[in-house]
Amino acid sequence: MAKSGVLGYPRIGENREWKKALEDHWAGKLDEQELDLQLTGIRLQHLRKIKESGADFIPVGDFSYYDHVLDTAVMFGIVPKRFASYQGGAVSRAIYYGMARGTKDATACEMTKWFNTNYHYIVPELEGAEPQLTENKPLLAYREAKAELGIEGRPVLLGPLTFLKLSKGYAEQGLDAWLDRLLPLYAQIVQELEREGVQWVQLDEPILVTKTDEADVQRLHKICAALTAAAPGLKLLLQTYFESAEAYSALIELPVHGIGLDFVHGLEGNLAAVREYGFPADKVLGAGVIDGRGIWKAALLDKKALLDELSAFVQPEQLIAQTSCSLLHVPVSLQKETGLAPELHAALAFADEKLAELALLTRALGGDGETDAELAAYDEAVQALNRSASRSRQDIRTAAAAIAAQEPQRNKPFAERNAIQRAKWQLPLFPTTTIGSFPQSAEVRKARQLWRRGEWNAEQYNGFIREQIDRWVQIQEEIGIDVLVHGEFERTDMVEFFGEKLAGFVFTKNGWVQSYGSRCVKPPIIYGDVAFEGPMTVEETRYAQSLTQRPVKGMLTGPITIMNWSFVREDISREQIAYQLAYALRQEVEALEAAGIGMIQVDEPAVREGLPLKASKQANYLEWAVRAFRLATCTVRDETQIHTHMCYCEFHDMIDSIDAMDADVISIETSRSHGELIGSFEVNTYGKGIGLGVYDIHSPRVPELNEMTGMIDRALAALAPELFWINPDCGLKTRGYQETVASLQRMVEAAHLAREKYKQVLV
Ligand code: GLN
Ligand code: ZN
């Protein structure tokens, strides 16, 4: 009888109780004990569900108070020196959350994408750290699950190679020295686990799906050897996910008891490797067949066929049917989704439904086909949806194909457009602007609720939005910002807002997933062909422009970001979906321009996260992503200035693609990576308008003037002053009123100082 395994489960709870508890704690409304109590309740509820689903391998230790990478750093006492109160030993909650979010005295640690997902982890800073084992977190989790629920859990441990490679603060040659320092700590963890009676440990090494060279293989040998020597009675499952494992033939030689592979997102590569090299008889194969990232029901007959093929290489009792990765990336449960069309609802599976799916599949394995009818019935739901009219609108297919066939190009090259735009806009040196959103105050959220509940009519709500725009246009003018925005008060979320106005999207009531820390997002579902149905942003933008002489930037979310932050259909390619979106957005860009808006920002913060993990697949993705952006923006007049914005990621390895997007101005988040991005402009010159964020907006802290002038000076050492803009790192919607105004005042002051300082250089 084959076994089943789950690699991890969402943390946020059925109703985002987790988020609420964290935020109440930060607001001082929930003390540490209360927080512990509430989070323990949530954690145990999750474990109970997994247990009840019948899964054989239940993850423990994957739960977090913020982020699992931060947990690992803190478990090893790796705390940056700027958190001066840390004296070694257990890390206090205050420092833990300080590292995540910043404090009055110390900036937060950098945050970045977890591989190619929309989950963000806190980047460990190794420099100057003295690693020690401050607590054995997986052990505590194992004990708890056993004592409270009688669960024999499989502790999840972020492996040392991935942990180190995702960290910063060491030179390349320092990696091995760091490995030597961490390995004894890992050894101690597994030793204590073994002593406690733990049978299996899930050692997550997702880094193994990215480039794995000979040195890495040596490191893995060292890691596995050290851990098995420390705990010979413990079984290690070396777990990979998100793509096919590199160096497969070397991995299967490692001294571990099991290898976990992703047969959803790495299907092609992993299956080819198994076919070519086989699988060792002495190891367990964790076969990730249930998608931990998508929301559609699995085609179980296909999954069963796949597992049947794999079982030819493995002893039946050595095969574990698993989720492809942690279920962290999908919403918790479909239970509350009462508003969806039945044919759509029937085709979906969130985390809890995936648990059931895994159980059904496992039950079918090894049987003599008596469950095949059940599997076929299960599979019928997605097939029925595929046949539905919403999935193939011929008008859209034809139009999108027609525009995709033309080369998307602005009328004139940048240099010529730039001269025309300069003459038209007459902006000062280093124009100041913001990224789009202003604080979504309690008042704004309240108004939206009243309107959504029907207690306000559209007129009342629109009136309220107008008042907000009035107020913030005035504030921006008073502060002295050069290019204004309307503030995005009518939007909860930059993707949801557009999805609600375009055809082809559907929204869940409760389909939240964690994005970073307590921040959750509710990705829309692109289930059908995408179509423009009428102007989406024109009214508010035009209204804002009517209030001021200064230019107001129109504000749109780009095709790739909308796609990457949605759950998408799987019956057509992502490229096709992107072009449908681009075609729809082009119509909005044109509508804004026709309404007299002369600067239009098309945000693409998520371009980078869609980048395939395999180098061999990246160029193709970037090519069609850039093409989609250009399709959306290329039809405007020369004097119309196209802006774009990017954040959350490291962009230094895709500057060429950013350039190819051909936006007139780009603003990029910079300060969370402490200016590292700037360095890349020293080697790759960038010849279009650019604003490198001069302060971090993820923290309520008001930056000092010299921090901003420092960022500006560094940037101007690499970039042309006449193309340089001054702006914050990202939108300000999560910030409060006072810190926003104070920070922007300082930013404008920094711009004035810079103008004084650099004007001589320029003449
Ligand atoms: N225009 C958006 C805002 O300011 C951009 C947000 C983002 O980049 N994530 O909120
Ligand atoms: Zn941003």
Side-chain angles (χ1 to χ4, degrees):
M1 179 70 181
K3 291 200 165 7
S4 60
V6 177
L7 300 194
Y9 188 83
R11 298 157 187 156
I12 59 176
E14 283 179 0
N15 298 300
R16 287 182 299 154
E17 304 86 333
W18 183 83
K19 168 194 177 70
K20 189 157 183 310
L22 258 58
E23 289 175 1
D24 282 353
H25 174 64
W26 298 335
K29 287 188 254 171
L30 207 64
D31 65 21
E32 275 187 37
Q33 273 172 333
E34 264 301 315
L35 178 70
D36 280 338
L37 210 64
Q38 292 201 9
L39 295 197
T40 304
I42 296 171
R43 187 165 61 234
L44 292 176
Q45 189 214 23
H46 297 170
L47 286 170
R48 210 171 286 127
K49 284 205 253 189
I50 306 175
K51 183 184 177 189
E52 281 164 11
S53 79
D56 298 296
F57 293 99
I58 300 176
V60 293
D62 61 316
F63 186 85
S64 177
Y65 274 58
Y66 194 95
D67 159 50
H68 56 274
V69 182
L70 176 62
D71 293 347
T72 311
V74 157
M75 177 165 78
F76 294 132
I78 297 171
V79 175
K81 285 276 178 284
R82 61 185 179 280
F83 295 88
S85 64
Y86 182 62
Q87 301 292 331
V91 175
S92 69
R93 269 293 115 78
I95 293 179
Y96 176 85
Y97 285 130
M99 288 167 69
R101 309 174 65 233
T103 64
K104 196 163 64 35
D105 305 312
T107 50
C109 296
E110 192 185 324
M111 161 175 95
T112 198
K113 297 273 174 207
W114 173 244
F115 296 88
N116 58 350
T117 72
N118 185 25
Y119 175 84
H120 305 73
Y121 69 93
I122 297 293
V123 182
E125 294 176 36
L126 301 181
E127 203 177 337
E130 306 280 346
Q132 55 174 144
L133 190 62
T134 64
E135 64 168 0
N136 190 337
K137 188 179 178 255
L139 177 66
L140 299 178
Y142 172 83
R143 275 189 189 147
E144 178 189 68
K146 190 159 189 171
E148 299 292 329
L149 301 167
I151 288 174
E152 190 59 51
R154 181 168 74 181
V156 181
L157 196 53
L158 180 57
L161 194 62
T162 301
F163 176 77
L164 287 173
K165 290 204 168 191
L166 297 185
S167 298
K168 55 191 262 178
Y170 66 91
E172 187 57 40
Q173 65 277 19
L175 186 69
D176 290 298
W178 262 99
L179 192 57
D180 289 340
R181 298 170 81 182
L182 284 189
L183 267 186
L185 308 184
Y186 273 93
Q188 191 183 336
I189 292 173
V190 293
Q191 208 158 48
E192 289 175 11
L193 289 175
E194 182 192 33
R195 208 172 303 141
E196 192 74 15
V198 170
Q199 291 160 19
W200 277 95
V201 164
Q202 174 187 326
L203 189 71
D204 279 358
E205 287 286 13
I207 200 80
L208 298 178
V209 308
T210 66
K211 203 167 117 314
T212 306
D213 59 20
E214 190 42 45
D216 293 325
V217 171
Q218 293 309 319
R219 290 173 184 132
L220 284 167
H221 270 283
K222 192 165 169 180
I223 293 165
C224 297
L227 299 189
T228 26
L234 191 81
K235 294 180 177 146
L236 275 184
L237 177 71
L238 184 71
Q239 183 65 52
T240 65
Y241 40 80
F242 300 150
E243 247 297 358
S244 59
E246 295 278 304
Y248 174 86
S249 54
L251 290 194
I252 55 173
E253 302 279 296
L254 289 169
V256 288
H257 295 81
I259 307 272
L261 301 173
D262 182 338
F263 286 98
V264 177
H265 298 276
L267 175 63
E268 212 183 320
N270 281 334
L271 192 57
V274 172
R275 283 175 182 156
E276 182 172 352
Y277 300 100
F279 193 81
D282 64 337
K283 287 189 180 40
V284 159
L285 174 61
V289 290
I290 298 300
D291 189 359
R293 298 182 59 174
I295 51 159
W296 304 102
K297 274 185 175 165
L300 290 185
L301 280 174
D302 291 353
K303 303 291 179 187
K304 181 167 176 265
L306 172 64
L307 290 168
D308 283 344
E309 179 179 352
L310 291 174
S311 60
F313 298 91
V314 201
Q315 299 301 315
E317 64 285 357
Q318 305 270 74
L319 184 66
I320 316 176
Q322 301 200 123
T323 57
S324 69
C325 59
S326 167
L327 298 172
L328 184 65
H329 310 288
V330 294
V332 177
S333 155
L334 266 175
Q335 216 159 53
K336 293 231 166 61
E337 305 306 334
T338 48
L340 299 175
E343 71 172 358
L344 180 62
H345 189 282
L348 295 170
F350 293 173
D352 287 352
E353 291 76 28
K354 284 171 191 289
L355 294 178
E357 195 169 76
L358 184 64
L360 173 58
L361 178 63
T362 321
R363 190 153 50 80
L365 288 175
D368 46 15
E370 74 276 16
T371 36
D372 280 9
E374 211 178 324
L375 299 192
Y378 189 85
D379 292 355
E380 171 53 25
V382 172
Q383 287 160 17
L385 184 63
N386 285 346
R387 291 190 298 265
S388 85
S390 60
R391 287 213 149 173
S392 48
R393 286 187 44 174
Q394 215 40 58
D395 55 332
I396 301 303
R397 297 281 169 111
T398 314
I403 70 152
Q406 300 151 16
E407 192 47 39
Q409 195 142 35
R410 295 279 300 261
N411 189 33
K412 288 196 166 64
F414 173 76
E416 287 171 45
R417 286 177 345 239
N418 185 240
I420 296 168
Q421 290 167 16
R422 243 168 223 288
K424 168 162 181 181
W425 298 108
Q426 298 287 325
L427 294 170
L429 177 65
F430 309 139
T432 51
T433 192
T434 60
I435 306 306
S437 58
F438 282 124
Q440 292 255 333
S441 58
E443 206 191 350
V444 173
R445 292 197 302 269
K446 178 91 196 299
R448 189 171 308 107
Q449 254 175 27
L450 287 170
W451 171 61
R452 289 213 155 149
R453 284 205 305 254
E455 290 173 43
W456 272 13
N457 59 29
E459 200 181 324
Q460 279 169 302
Y461 180 64
N462 293 339
F464 172 85
I465 297 292
R466 287 191 171 213
E467 279 165 30
Q468 297 297 314
I469 297 176
D470 289 336
R471 174 161 173 248
W472 279 92
V473 165
Q474 196 184 345
I475 292 171
Q476 293 174 84
E477 287 197 326
E478 277 165 15
I479 296 174
I481 293 175
D482 301 303
V483 171
L484 311 194
V485 294
H486 77 282
E488 301 181 24
F489 301 104
E490 74 287 7
R491 309 180 188 177
T492 22
D493 176 277
M494 62 188 292
V495 171
E496 182 183 67
F497 177 80
F498 291 93
E500 281 180 342
K501 293 181 158 36
L502 293 166
F505 285 76
V506 74
F507 291 84
T508 60
K509 288 202 180 106
N510 201 38
W512 297 96
V513 289
Q514 187 188 0
S515 170
Y516 65 89
S518 67
R519 188 166 157 73
C520 299
V521 293
K522 189 155 66 69
I525 300 172
I526 302 182
Y527 74 98
D529 284 338
V530 175
F532 178 83
E533 300 197 299
M536 301 178 276
T537 64
V538 173
E539 203 178 298
E540 289 84 6
T541 319
R542 182 171 30 201
Y543 177 67
Q545 185 63 82
S546 75
L547 302 171
T548 177
Q549 297 300 315
R550 301 181 186 213
V552 171
K553 274 191 290 192
M555 205 50 71
L556 307 178
T557 306
I560 301 299
T561 297
I562 293 183
M563 182 182 67
N564 285 347
W565 284 353
S566 298
F567 287 116
V568 302
R569 57 196 293 191
E570 288 169 356
D571 61 319
I572 64 173
S573 71
R574 294 177 82 82
E575 179 177 355
Q576 263 177 294
I577 298 171
Y579 294 158
Q580 289 186 0
L581 280 159
Y583 175 51
L585 288 165
R586 171 193 284 196
Q587 295 168 74
E588 181 69 10
V589 167
E590 289 171 354
L592 280 169
E593 187 183 55
I597 302 303
M599 294 188 183
I600 301 166
Q601 180 171 312
V602 180
D603 291 326
E604 282 290 25
V607 161
R608 171 61 210 253
E609 81 193 39
L611 195 67
L613 292 168
K614 298 285 186 203
S616 58
K617 299 180 182 170
Q618 291 175 351
N620 176 255
Y621 164 79
L622 286 171
E623 203 179 289
W624 60 255
V626 166
R627 188 177 177 86
F629 182 88
R630 291 171 66 130
L631 277 170
T633 54
C634 70
T635 55
V636 294
R637 292 192 288 268
D638 299 330
E639 68 264 33
T640 299
Q641 192 167 68
I642 296 290
H643 289 233
T644 188
H645 165 72
M646 293 188 182
C647 54
Y648 298 138
C649 292
E650 292 176 28
F651 294 104
H652 56 261
D653 54 357
M654 56 172 283
I655 308 267
D656 289 346
S657 299
I658 291 176
D659 194 34
M661 288 165 69
D662 202 25
D664 298 300
V665 183
I666 181 169
S667 57
I668 310 193
E669 169 182 331
T670 320
S671 55
R672 279 264 282 207
S673 63
H674 308 292
E676 274 164 24
L677 174 68
I678 299 172
S680 60
F681 289 109
E682 285 156 6
V683 266
N684 286 289
T685 49
Y686 189 78
K688 299 192 174 106
I690 182 164
L692 298 181
V694 297
Y695 77 89
D696 176 16
I697 58 87
H698 296 94
S699 136
R701 180 175 166 274
V702 178
E704 300 296 335
L705 188 60
N706 64 10
E707 293 171 42
M708 298 204 238
T709 52
M711 290 294 291
I712 296 170
D713 288 338
R714 275 205 62 188
L716 288 175
L719 293 163
E722 59 282 1
L723 291 170
F724 193 69
W725 288 62
I726 291 180
N727 48 259
D729 260 349
C730 191
L732 297 160
K733 74 171 176 209
T734 56
R735 297 275 58 89
Y737 167 79
Q738 299 213 325
E739 74 227 26
T740 298
V741 171
S743 301
L744 290 177
Q745 281 167 339
R746 240 173 237 173
M747 184 186 87
V748 169
E749 200 180 331
H752 284 296
L753 290 175
R755 283 171 196 158
E756 274 311 303
K757 180 167 169 186
Y758 289 90
K759 76 173 178 227
Q760 286 87 348
V761 189
L762 281 175
V763 284

